[in-house]
């Protein structure tokens, strides 16, 4: 005879099955999806409302681009794990261990553990900025910040890494040809030694949109949008790829291996698709943006890994939470958000508020899980 607990469990399973096939959209469990919360807008909601939105969506991983005290305080006692960012322009200061200790003591420690800070992104895309002095500063600053975390007893809770763009690769196709640019070899070796010794992840900002925009006649749209397609087989590994994002991630893994580093986890710190663009930004449409993020969400719900690491689920942070009207550059830069600043959906990818924060859709999805990692 079933116990009361097992009856409850059966009812929950039946409810999930019912919702999945009754027009309520995605109902799933995923632990590897995060989102980037940028602040380059003059009409964005206050952080407190952002926390309400994220929690209503059951999103539990967020990356911000600074250590804004207002945001850190707003996220206190929430369920959200936060990755904060050290701005590029202060890296030269933080190579000094005392300055790094001061930074961690004032920017991190006062908010932890009430605010669940789990990562520090030291700089952003520094390796592709062309400034070799800054690249040297980057690795030294990472070492100093990690040392400060150790000194304060926080290193077991907070990882240190830096997000890089795919432009760090000299070759990325096929994935097995992945290799870092030769001028970055010394810096990458130092960086990878740090990641290996601290068991921290390699963060990559990966945008298949850019590849499609530059070569729409050569790259199948379905391949970059995760739609059904024939895909491609890597001629050397014989691995089959049905989407570009996974191929780009595996190219990073191959590049690390060629420098003698294996076993470092790769996480996608940014990926997304713009819903609007200039006339020369091919593919930047609402339909494509919705399709890319919706299909990626389905993959995340399955806890998928890449063809090279099928049993290690890929952690991905979508870019971005909001459209940000003060971002410079082409129109696409201001149109990556899933939400408008008034907290209405730009388009529906399967995320919908479970509370009254947003009522633009009846689609629901649970994005928290205690499921074990494969």
């Amino acid at each position: 005879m079933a116990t009361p607990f097992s009856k409850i469990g059966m009812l929950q399973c039946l409810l999930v099955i019912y919702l999945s096939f009754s027009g309520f959209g995605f109902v799933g469990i995923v632990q590897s999806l995060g989102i980037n919360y940028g602040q380059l807008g003059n009409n964005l909601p206050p952080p407190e409302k952002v926390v309400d939105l994220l929690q209503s969506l059951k999103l539990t991983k967020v990356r911000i681009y600074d250590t804004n005290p207002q945001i850190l305080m707003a996220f206190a006692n929430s369920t959200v794990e936060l990755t904060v960012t050290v701005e590029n322009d202060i890296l030269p200061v933080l190579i000094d261990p005392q300055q790094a200790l001061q930074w961690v003591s004032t920017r991190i420690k006062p908010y932890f553990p009430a605010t669940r800070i789990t990562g520090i992104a030291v700089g952003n895309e520094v390796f592709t900025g062309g400034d070799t002095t800054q690249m040297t500063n980057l690795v030294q600053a990472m070492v100093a910040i990690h040392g400060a975390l150790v000194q304060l007893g926080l290193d077991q809770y907070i990882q240190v890494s830096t997000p890089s763009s795919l432009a760090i690769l000299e070759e990325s196709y096929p994935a097995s040809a992945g290799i870092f640019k030769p001028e970055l070899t010394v810096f990458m070796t130092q960086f990878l030694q740090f990641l290996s010794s601290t068991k921290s992840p390699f963060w990559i900002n990966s945008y298949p949109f850019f590849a499609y925009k530059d070569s729409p006649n050569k790259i199948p749209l379905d391949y970059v949008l995760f739609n059904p397609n024939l895909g491609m087989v890597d001629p050397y590994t014989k691995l089959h790829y049905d989407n570009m994002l996974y191929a780009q991630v595996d190219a990073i893994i191959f590049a690390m291996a060629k420098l003698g580093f294996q076993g470092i986890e790769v996480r996608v710190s940014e990926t997304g698709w713009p819903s609007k663009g200039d006339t020369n930004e091919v593919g930047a449409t609402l339909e494509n943006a919705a399709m890319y993020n919706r299909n990626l969400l389905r993959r995340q719900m399955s806890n998928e890994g890449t063809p090279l690491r099928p049993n290690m689920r890929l952690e991905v942070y979508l870019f971005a939470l909001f459209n940000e009207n003060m971002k410079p550059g082409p129109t696409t830069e201001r149109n990556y958000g899933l939400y408008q600043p008034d907290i209405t959906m730009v388009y529906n990818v399967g995320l919908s508020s479970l509370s009254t924060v947003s009522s633009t859709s009846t689609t629901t999805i649970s994005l928290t899980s205690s499921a074990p990692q494969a």
Side-chain angles (χ1 to χ4, degrees):
M1 190 171 80
T3 64
F5 178 81
S6 62
K7 286 181 179 178
I8 292 172
M10 290 173 62
L11 287 172
Q12 289 176 331
C13 290
L14 290 171
L15 179 62
V16 167
I17 293 171
Y18 168 73
L19 291 173
S20 296
F21 292 98
S22 62
F24 283 88
F26 300 128
V27 175
I29 298 174
V30 64
Q31 199 176 34
S32 51
L33 179 71
I35 198 158
N36 287 275
Y37 166 27
Q39 286 282 295
L40 292 179
N42 60 11
N43 55 355
L44 296 174
E48 293 77 14
K49 287 194 174 182
V50 174
V51 173
D52 290 342
L53 171 64
L54 293 168
Q55 293 196 134
S56 71
L57 297 173
K58 302 294 188 262
L59 278 166
T60 61
K61 295 179 186 290
V62 171
R63 176 187 169 209
I64 62 174
Y65 291 85
D66 52 22
T67 53
N68 185 324
Q70 186 182 1
I71 295 177
L72 295 181
M73 287 188 291
F75 277 79
N77 304 311
S78 74
T79 58
V80 179
E81 296 180 3
L82 203 60
T83 295
V84 302
T85 301
V86 177
E87 297 92 329
N88 288 0
D89 58 358
I90 65 171
L91 294 181
V93 176
L94 297 184
I95 65 175
D96 180 345
Q98 288 303 314
Q99 292 292 335
L101 179 61
Q102 173 73 8
W103 186 89
V104 174
S105 297
T106 57
R107 301 295 187 96
I108 304 296
K109 192 173 185 294
Y111 306 97
F112 183 90
T115 300
R116 300 177 64 188
I117 301 170
T118 58
I120 298 176
V122 183
N124 188 54
E125 300 190 351
V126 174
F127 287 126
T128 48
D131 186 340
T132 56
T133 300
Q134 189 76 319
M135 294 179 203
T136 301
N137 291 339
L138 172 64
V139 178
Q140 292 180 2
M142 291 175 67
V143 170
I145 289 171
H146 180 261
L149 292 172
V150 171
Q151 192 169 338
L152 295 171
L154 301 177
D155 58 301
Q156 60 182 312
Y157 308 106
I158 302 173
Q159 293 181 312
V160 177
S161 189
T162 187
S164 296
S165 82
L166 205 70
I168 58 176
L169 295 180
E170 181 76 8
E171 297 287 344
S172 62
Y173 179 85
S176 61
I179 188 170
F180 294 118
K181 289 185 174 179
E183 62 269 26
L184 297 179
T185 299
V186 172
F187 304 108
M188 276 295 159
T189 301
Q190 295 171 350
F191 172 51
L192 294 174
Q193 286 172 340
F194 172 82
L195 296 185
S196 180
S197 66
T198 60
K199 296 180 172 55
S200 297
F202 191 112
W203 288 335
I204 186 71
N205 296 340
S206 181
Y207 289 89
F209 164 72
F210 293 138
Y212 178 76
K213 176 179 70 71
D214 293 339
S215 301
N217 297 322
K218 295 181 179 179
I219 299 175
L221 183 60
D222 285 336
Y223 180 65
V224 293
L225 292 181
F226 296 92
N227 282 333
N229 67 96
L230 294 177
M232 61 84 63
V233 175
D234 190 301
Y236 302 102
T237 63
K238 307 305 179 185
L239 293 173
H240 178 260
Y241 292 88
D242 65 359
N243 70 85
M244 181 176 283
L245 180 68
Y246 288 5
Q248 291 178 339
V249 169
D250 279 355
I252 293 291
I253 298 172
F254 276 107
M256 290 193 295
K258 288 168 186 172
L259 289 182
F261 294 90
Q262 300 187 34
I264 296 174
E265 182 184 359
V266 177
R267 298 178 184 173
V268 179
S269 40
E270 290 182 14
T271 192
W273 198 284
S275 59
K276 186 188 298 184
D278 298 322
T279 54
N280 63 336
E281 295 183 292
V282 180
T285 68
L286 192 72
E287 294 75 17
N288 287 345
M291 188 64 67
Y292 181 84
N293 286 315
R294 187 178 299 137
N295 286 340
L296 177 57
L297 182 56
R298 288 193 181 103
R299 301 294 185 110
Q300 288 286 289
M301 288 174 62
S302 300
N303 285 328
E304 281 190 351
T306 66
L308 187 59
R309 290 179 174 174
N311 296 320
M312 179 181 287
R313 66 183 173 204
L314 180 64
E315 186 165 304
V316 175
Y317 282 67
L318 294 178
F319 188 87
L321 184 56
F322 294 111
N323 280 342
E324 299 169 63
N325 67 352
M326 294 179 68
K327 290 197 72 175
T331 298
T332 50
E333 287 295 315
R334 294 173 291 283
N335 288 278
Y336 275 93
L338 301 184
Y339 283 84
Q340 301 286 7
D342 64 359
I343 315 184
T344 58
M345 288 183 180
V346 177
Y347 50 85
N348 188 347
V349 297
L351 288 170
S352 170
S353 176
L354 300 180
S355 65
T356 59
V357 176
S358 172
S359 58
T360 58
S361 169
T362 57
T363 306
T364 62
I365 178 169
S366 172
L367 290 173
T368 55
S369 171
S370 57
Q373 180 168 334

